[in-house]
């Protein structure tokens, strides 16, 4: 594959409502898109880094910087480039997995579009639609939370995830159980807001029959998660801590992860995400597809990944309308609680030119 150039494009998308987590409140999504242009096709990669380094150490400006300063020049100097060569070519540069993932995804998309093959086919999808959950932010009152959850259940979401933090944990879970019953698939996500010293408080969630508790402790606290898993009955799921197939294998071995949230951006791309799926499947550990408030471009690839056989729990693969009034692509729409897996070449979706133009705040063309 011969690269002609790469575009870095910044896009700003207002959210339908503020999204509050234990690490901050988002009101708009500030996105970096990577567009790879080859002789045969173009490919898109959406960088999932957020504006500020609060979910992880990566942030949008840093991703753009490392791409233009190190990653893109290295790729330009790589002979016989294809998507599987991207990871090894970029390996000398440490970290920056979200930036690397965006670049690898764009190359893979260009390659698959040129070959007329879909992400789903390439990754090994076995379903033509995936069951969807929704991530519900921290609210200022239980009433507001119950209204939001009621709305999502009415739309057909098959699983509810509540964001929690100290002071907003048992009460929202109890309120949702009391209002909507024990049959609702329910889980919580703390985004690392607790320490193992909070085990007694977290054990108070045990009676509510949660599917899992996601990343209760610091991303580096693998042993703490293993210890916590012995003190509570809710299964412990890791998000932030899982940065590669290797860290997934170690976390499973240490008893720190009964379930794994797979986010391709966090782990360096869809190829590493599939390796995590494979490691987890070999250990009988269920996985599900996380989300990072993606536009339709990132969402399309996530939905393809979520159709692999080991993704046995509903993902944070919500419809476009969960976050955006107007998506960059044709919107992903919930049908019976599911999203259809795209079947067209590559991601199977394109940005709508006028919408993309209107949302763009800056572009930079790097000729190769
Ligand atoms: O921890 O899963 C998370 C969004 C941004 C950063 C981290 C997380 C999230 C979500 C929302 O929970 C997932 C989504 O619906 O895209
Ligand atoms: Mg999470």
């Amino acid at each position: 594959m011969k690269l002609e150039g790469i575009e870095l494009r910044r896009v700003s998308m207002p959210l339908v409502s503020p999204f509050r987590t234990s690490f901050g409140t988002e009101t708009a999504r500030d996105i970096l898109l990577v567009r790879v242009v080859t002789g045969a096709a173009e490919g898109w990669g959406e960088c999932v880094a957020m504006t500020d380094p609060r979910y992880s150490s990566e942030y949008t400006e840093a991703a753009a910087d490392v791409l233009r300063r190190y990653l893109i020049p290295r790729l330009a100097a790589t002979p016989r480039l294809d998507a599987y060569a991207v990871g090894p070519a970029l390996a000398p540069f440490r970290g920056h997995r979200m930036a690397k993932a965006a670049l690898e995804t764009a190359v893979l998309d260009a390659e698959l579009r040129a070959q007329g093959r879909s992400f789903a086919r390439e990754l090994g999808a076995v379903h033509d639609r995936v069951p969807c959950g929704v991530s519900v932010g921290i609210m200022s009152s239980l009433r507001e939370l119950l209204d939001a959850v009621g709305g999502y259940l009415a739309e057909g979401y098959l699983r509810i995830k509540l964001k929690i933090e100290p002071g907003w944990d048992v009460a929202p879970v109890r309120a949702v159980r009391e209002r909507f019953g024990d049959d609702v698939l329910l889980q919580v996500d703390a985004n690392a807001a607790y320490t193992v010293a909070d085990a007694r408080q977290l054990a108070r969630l045990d009676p509510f029959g949660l599917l899992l508790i996601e990343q209760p402790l610091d991303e580096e606290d693998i042993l703490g998660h293993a210890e916590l898993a012995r003190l509570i009955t809710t299964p412990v799921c890791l998000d932030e801590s899982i940065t590669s197939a290797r860290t997934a294998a170690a976390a499973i071995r240490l008893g720190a992860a009964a379930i794994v949230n797979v986010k391709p951006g966090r782990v360096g791309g869809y190829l590493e995400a599939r390796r995590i799926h494979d490691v987890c499947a070999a250990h009988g550990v269920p996985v599900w597809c996380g989300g990072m408030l993606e536009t339709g471009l990132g969402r399309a690839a996530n939905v393809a990944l979520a159709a692999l056989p080991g993704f046995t729990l509903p993902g944070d693969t919500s419809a476009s309308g969960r976050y955006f009034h107007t998506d960059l692509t044709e919107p992903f729409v919930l049908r019976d609680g599911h999203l259809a897996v795209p079947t067209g070449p590559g991601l199977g979706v394109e940005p709508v030119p006028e919408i993309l133009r209107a949302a763009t705040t800056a572009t930079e063309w790097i000729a190769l």
Side-chain angles (χ1 to χ4, degrees):
M1 177 185 300
K2 179 81 192 73
L3 295 179
E4 292 179 357
I6 297 181
E7 181 186 74
L8 300 181
R9 180 182 286 257
R10 295 291 287 275
V11 165
S12 179
M13 309 260 290
L15 297 180
V16 295
S17 57
F19 181 61
R20 178 172 159 204
T21 64
S22 65
F23 62 82
T25 303
E26 312 297 319
T27 54
R29 192 72 175 97
D30 164 34
I31 303 151
L32 170 65
L33 296 179
V34 176
R35 182 170 65 99
V36 161
V37 179
T38 75
E42 293 187 4
W44 292 94
E46 176 169 345
C47 183
V48 301
M50 306 191 80
T51 310
D52 302 321
R54 293 181 181 275
Y55 162 75
S56 77
S57 64
E58 288 184 73
Y59 61 101
T60 318
E61 283 293 342
D65 187 75
V66 77
L67 278 159
R68 72 168 77 83
R69 200 184 292 270
Y70 298 105
L71 307 183
I72 291 173
R74 170 57 63 103
L75 216 59
T78 301
R80 284 182 303 282
L81 182 67
D82 68 19
Y84 287 79
V86 174
L90 304 182
F93 303 113
R94 305 284 178 194
H96 297 283
R97 290 180 171 87
M98 293 175 180
K100 290 175 177 175
L103 193 50
E104 184 191 83
T105 303
V107 171
L108 181 56
D109 185 32
E111 188 177 318
L112 293 175
R113 284 184 201 263
Q115 297 170 356
R117 288 159 57 83
S118 68
F119 261 65
R121 179 74 201 278
E122 173 68 18
L123 294 174
V126 296
H127 305 292
D128 57 14
R129 61 177 202 158
V130 299
C132 300
V134 60
S135 178
V136 185
I138 294 166
M139 308 266 166
S140 40
S141 70
L142 292 175
R143 238 196 68 166
E144 206 186 327
L145 176 74
L146 293 175
D147 285 350
V149 170
Y152 292 130
L153 291 173
E155 284 182 55
Y157 284 104
L158 299 172
R159 183 226 68 191
I160 300 291
K161 159 167 142 183
L162 302 181
K163 290 294 196 176
I164 61 168
E165 65 183 2
W168 182 266
D169 44 33
V170 176
V173 168
R174 176 184 293 122
V176 169
R177 276 285 182 244
E178 281 177 358
R179 171 73 70 90
F180 301 106
D182 292 337
D183 292 342
V184 172
L185 298 181
L186 186 63
Q187 63 192 56
V188 293
D189 185 0
N191 289 110
Y194 295 85
T195 73
V196 78
D198 298 312
R200 272 154 150 308
Q201 174 65 12
L202 294 174
R204 293 180 60 211
L205 295 170
D206 287 348
F208 296 102
L210 301 179
L211 284 172
L212 59 90
I213 179 169
E214 182 178 346
Q215 198 71 38
L217 314 180
D218 186 82
E219 65 179 17
E220 297 186 354
D221 196 4
I222 303 302
L223 292 178
H225 282 101
E227 175 69 14
L228 181 67
R230 290 189 281 272
L231 300 172
I232 66 176
T233 61
T234 306
V236 172
C237 169
L238 294 182
D239 172 354
E240 286 89 326
S241 296
I242 304 299
T243 53
S244 63
R246 186 177 280 158
T247 56
I252 292 166
R253 172 81 173 271
L254 291 168
I259 299 172
V260 169
N261 166 330
V262 181
K263 284 183 187 167
R266 194 191 64 224
V267 305
Y270 288 86
L271 303 181
E272 187 70 6
R274 179 172 58 188
R275 286 177 208 117
I276 294 176
H277 162 273
D278 295 348
V279 164
C280 290
H283 285 86
V285 167
V287 300
W288 55 281
C289 185
M292 291 290 289
L293 285 60
E294 286 92 347
T295 73
L297 292 169
R299 202 163 293 280
N302 285 351
V303 169
L305 180 71
L308 268 63
F311 284 77
T312 53
L313 293 167
D316 283 344
T317 46
S318 307
S320 297
R322 159 67 184 91
Y323 291 111
F324 308 114
H325 286 299
T326 311
D327 205 336
L328 288 182
T329 62
E330 281 298 300
F332 280 85
V333 177
L334 211 59
R335 290 215 173 75
D336 285 331
H338 292 70
L339 290 186
V341 178
T343 54
L347 296 172
V349 298
E350 327 295 322
V352 178
E354 313 80 73
I355 297 174
L356 180 64
R357 209 173 309 121
T360 297
T361 57
T363 60
E364 180 179 342
W365 173 251
I366 302 169
L368 299 174

